[in-house]
Amino acid sequence: MNEALLRSLTPSVLALLVRRGADFAAAEDAVQDALVEAVRVWPADPPRDAKGWLVTVAWRKFLDQARADTARRRREDLVDEEPVPGPAPAVDDTLQLYFLCAHPSLTPSSAVALTLRAVGGLTTRQIAQAYLVPEATMAQRISRAKRTLSGVRFEQPGDVVTVLRVLYLVFNEGYSGDVDLAAEAIRLTRQLAARVDHPEVAGLLALMLLHHARRATRTAPDGSLVPLAGQDRSRWDTVSIAEGVRILQAALARDRLGEFQAQAAVAALHADAPTAEETDWVQIVEWYDELLRLTDNPVVRLNRAVAVGEAEGPRAGLTALAALDASLPRHTAVAAYLHERDGDLATAARLYAEAAHKAPNLAERDHLTRQAARLNARLRT
């Protein structure tokens, strides 16, 4: 990999994007994304025309972002900026569309993918990332779902479990990026809770409220990510937390535990801790064990490894992590954190830098890059 070549080409590629109509900030982001892609692809498959390759990839990434921004602004015109506590308004057509897309003729995974694409407004790439599968695989899954539904009469709506899964993924996408998506997911889940008496509906609503209560503290004024341990807990939305805990307690009292209730219990324990140091990590590990009994999800196992590292020490966390597939998203970032906790700064710095190259978005990549730089600076002193 010729880093000098990349540096020399960056200004001209940036200038070309601006001349094509991209504003400077968006063009800069697109060029940075293209450079990351070049670092990943070129060692195995170097292009014949390096500049042409960079221009093509950067322009494609700019167009992808522009389309995403347009879709986001369109959704913002339709949704209130923040979810409000209290009873939901009358059910609208959006929730009905979720049920219709979750048609019984589709498998649950295909129904979720189709609904996220057709109603939720997510891109195929975003859905693929949520399902931990290649983008091409998800595109084929969505196409098959559309073909299956062609000519089908929409008289038999799908089940609640599938709709809950869609709402959960829509909220996750909004929570990690567009606030309007998270607010819309909460709004629809409130409607569903008013319409369906199901403890997992209540569990999902509680989970959303408890996570959304921390939204204002997840980023610094400069846009950088703030980890949970570093967030200003005095700025958390205590009204949403109280509502989420109340809804969760009522759901758990019915003794029909589901994965959303268990996840909400973990979120409630974080919300209940006055400081990060006072978090009840032992109980959080126990809830992750409950989650694993309900769903053997690799992401749950990854989160459990972090919790074990906090409850029993970083060595125990690394042991739990070693049993997981290293290709799992954010596996490298977790390994870096646990190695830092264990005092192995050199390994942690290397892993933070490696995790930054794998990060799914710019904010996370910048955060991990800063962690690597912080440790490298300590190693030099």
Side-chain angles (χ1 to χ4, degrees), residues 2 23 31 43 47 71 76 104 119 129 180 191 205 228 297 299 309 315 331 334 338 344-345 354 358 367 369:
N2 191 331
D23 66 83
V31 171
E76 286 174 344
V119 186
Q129 288 173 344
D180 60 299
Q191 290 186 359
L205 179 57
L228 177 61
N297 187 306
V299 176
R315 293 285 175 89
H331 183 285
V334 170
L338 291 172
D344 187 353
L345 303 190
E354 183 180 331
K358 302 176 182 178
H367 171 72
T369 300

Side-chain angles (χ1 to χ4, degrees), residues 79-80 83 94-95 98 163-164 166-175 178-192 204-205 208-209 212:
V79 182
D80 291 334
T94 307
L95 188 58
Y98 274 69
V163 173
L164 282 178
V166 176
L167 290 170
Y168 173 66
L169 292 174
V170 169
F171 175 81
N172 276 350
E173 182 60 34
Y175 186 66
D178 299 329
V179 173
D180 60 299
L181 273 179
E184 171 71 345
I186 292 175
R187 184 181 73 86
L188 292 172
T189 306
R190 284 191 186 282
Q191 290 186 359
L192 188 59
L204 179 58
L205 179 57
M208 289 178 174
L209 290 170
H212 205 63

Side-chain angles (χ1 to χ4, degrees), residues 66-130:
R67 294 188 189 102
D69 288 343
T70 300
R72 175 179 56 80
R73 286 193 294 271
R74 187 162 58 246
R75 290 192 297 271
E76 286 174 344
D77 291 337
L78 302 175
V79 182
D80 291 334
E81 287 188 358
E82 292 292 331
V84 296
V91 176
D92 62 16
D93 290 341
T94 307
L95 188 58
Q96 185 62 21
L97 284 173
Y98 274 69
F99 273 96
L100 291 176
C101 283
H103 196 272
S105 63
L106 297 175
T107 63
S109 60
S110 294
V112 170
L114 178 63
T115 313
L116 290 171
R117 187 72 184 91
V119 186
L122 274 64
T123 66
T124 303
R125 179 178 301 175
Q126 289 169 324
I127 301 168
Q129 288 173 344

Side-chain angles (χ1 to χ4, degrees), residues 194-205:
R195 174 177 171 179
V196 177
D197 183 21
H198 193 299
E200 273 293 80
V201 177
L204 179 58
L205 179 57

Side-chain angles (χ1 to χ4, degrees), residues 193 196-207 209-210 241-258 260-262 264-265 268 287:
V196 177
D197 183 21
H198 193 299
E200 273 293 80
V201 177
L204 179 58
L205 179 57
L207 175 63
L209 290 170
L210 290 164
I241 290 173
E243 184 185 9
V245 169
R246 176 180 55 78
I247 292 171
L248 173 62
Q249 288 174 338
L252 291 175
R254 301 177 65 176
D255 199 23
R256 290 169 55 193
L257 184 64
F260 294 126
Q261 295 169 71
W287 276 112

